[in-house]
């Protein structure tokens, strides 16, 4: 499959992406919250349980993995990439090495991982990966993000994307403007516009084929400590406006991160966006917490109760699948809970 077809398949109508690429430190935090020991075996069991769920086939087009996971063999006999493929999804891999302190701007970060990337990509391709992910992180305060952080992260994202397309895989471009802080929705709009603008400027300089990419942005949302809350309608309106203005129309798909929204908020907001989507972008989800939080709770209650873990995951996958078509409704959440 060429990269344009891979990009289409990852975000086919009604489907989205499962972000299961938590690095060892992040999964440690998730497991701590449910009192599960952060062992390789537990990470494998939790993830293979999700990837073996019936909800995968209808609602998940791609799964983002972490280095450890793509190399694991399941207790079901298959490797992790084989299990994902068997469930109709494409295996992908996070290739950045994390957000590290940005020299000269002590409170900001730049994402690292370009050194040796060409060689790592060859290995990931041979393990079955057909797409990759790189996440840049921007925080909003009175002073930040600085233009230094916006420019250096965009440059790294573009160099990453060029190497990934050279290796015949699809790069997910993930510039995440964090929800942390007391800023209002307008500020989020303005910062996200600047960030997206610079990213597409660098992607153009690096001659990236945008049809073979997927954008994974934040929604336009007020900071988590902002007193003035916004309705889902306002979030949808601002988000679409921002994307239309700053993302070139050749980009086929936009798959949002959930960024700390609750599972239901993430479904509701995506649904509102799709209800009024007047762009040519296929708009869907690439959720980590937004797809896994309930399943993780069930895993914490009883790691052996595969049925309940999968039930929780299938439900969220279905809800978000519906949201990606603008067909989600609050009563579907309640019906299922009952
Ligand atoms: C699943 O979390 C991903 C990995 O995070 P770390 O590299 O910090 O361990 C993360 O990149 C994720 O893909 C996105 O942030 C989206 O996840 P959410 O939970 O925001 O939907």
């Amino acid at each position: 499959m060429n990269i344009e077809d891979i990009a289409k398949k990852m975000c086919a109508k009604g489907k989205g992406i499962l972000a299961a690429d938590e690095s060892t430190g992040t999964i440690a935090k998730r497991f701590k919250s449910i009192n599960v020991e952060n062992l390789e075996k537990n990470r494998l069991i939790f993830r293979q349980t999700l990837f073996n769920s019936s909800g995968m086939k209808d609602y998940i087009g791609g799964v983002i993995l972490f280095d450890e996971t793509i190399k694991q063999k399941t207790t079901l006999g298959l490797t992790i990439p084989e299990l994902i493929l068997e469930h109709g999804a494409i295996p992908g891999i996070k290739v950045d090495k994390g957000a590290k302190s940005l020299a000269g701007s002590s409170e900001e970060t730049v994402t690292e991982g370009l050194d040796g990337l060409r060689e790592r990509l060859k290995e990931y391709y041979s393990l079955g990966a057909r797409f990759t992910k790189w996440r840049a992180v921007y925080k909003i305060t009175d002073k930040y993000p600085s233009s230094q952080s916006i420019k250096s992260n965009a440059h790294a994202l573009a160099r990453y994307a060029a190497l990934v397309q050279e290796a015949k895989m699809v790069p997910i471009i993930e510039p995440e403007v964090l929800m942390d802080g007391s800023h209002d929705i307008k500020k989020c709009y303005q910062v996200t516009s600047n960030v997206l603008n610079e990213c597409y400027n660098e992607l153009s300089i690096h001659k990236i084929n945008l049809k073979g990419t997927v954008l994974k942005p934040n929604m336009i949302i007020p900071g988590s400590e902002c007193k003035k809350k916004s309705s889902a309608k306002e979030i949808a309106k601002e988000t679409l406006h921002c994307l239309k203005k700053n993302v070139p129309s050749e980009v086929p798909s936009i798959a949002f991160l959930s960024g700390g929204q609750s599972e239901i908020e993430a479904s509701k907001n995506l649904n509102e966006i799709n209800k009024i989507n007047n762009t040519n972008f296929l708009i869907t989800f690439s959720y980590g917490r937004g797809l896994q939080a309930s399943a993780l709770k069930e895993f914490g209650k009883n790691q052996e109760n595969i049925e309940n873990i999968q039930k929780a995951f299938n439900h969220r996958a279905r809800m978000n699948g519906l949201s990606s078509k603008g067909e989600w409704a609050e009563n579907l959440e309640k019906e299922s809970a009952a």
Side-chain angles (χ1 to χ4, degrees), residues 19 21-23 26 94 133 135 174 176 216 257-260 286-289:
D21 58 313
E22 298 87 354
S23 51
T26 302
K94 184 234 297 291
K133 195 202 83 172
R135 172 172 169 254
E174 183 181 4
E176 176 174 9
K216 174 165 174 165
L257 56 93
S258 56
S286 174
Y287 293 163
R289 289 162 288 180

Side-chain angles (χ1 to χ4, degrees), residues 51 66 69 103 156 170 184 197 216 220 275 297 301 334:
F51 307 160
F66 181 57
T69 324
V170 169
D184 61 11
N197 220 286
K216 174 165 174 165
I220 304 301
K275 268 168 56 184
K297 262 192 208 148
K301 282 185 208 157
K334 289 185 195 123

Side-chain angles (χ1 to χ4, degrees), residues 225-240:
E225 281 137 48
C226 176
K227 295 215 172 71
K228 193 167 175 285
K229 302 291 168 214
S230 295
S231 66
K233 277 200 170 61
E234 190 185 358
I235 291 168
K237 206 177 118 238
E238 297 292 325
T239 302
L240 279 170

Side-chain angles (χ1 to χ4, degrees), residues 69-83:
T69 324
I70 199 169
K71 296 171 180 164
Q72 277 171 325
K73 187 160 181 177
T74 66
T75 60
L76 311 159
L78 302 171
T79 65
I80 287 278
E82 284 166 350
L83 180 66

Side-chain angles (χ1 to χ4, degrees), residues 33 39 41 44 49 104 112 127 136 142 155 163 176 195-196 212 229 235 239 293 295 309:
S33 73
L39 303 176
K41 181 176 145 276
L44 172 67
T49 303
E112 294 188 356
L127 290 167
D142 290 347
H155 183 254
L163 284 164
E176 176 174 9
V195 163
L196 289 174
K229 302 291 168 214
I235 291 168
T239 302
I309 301 163

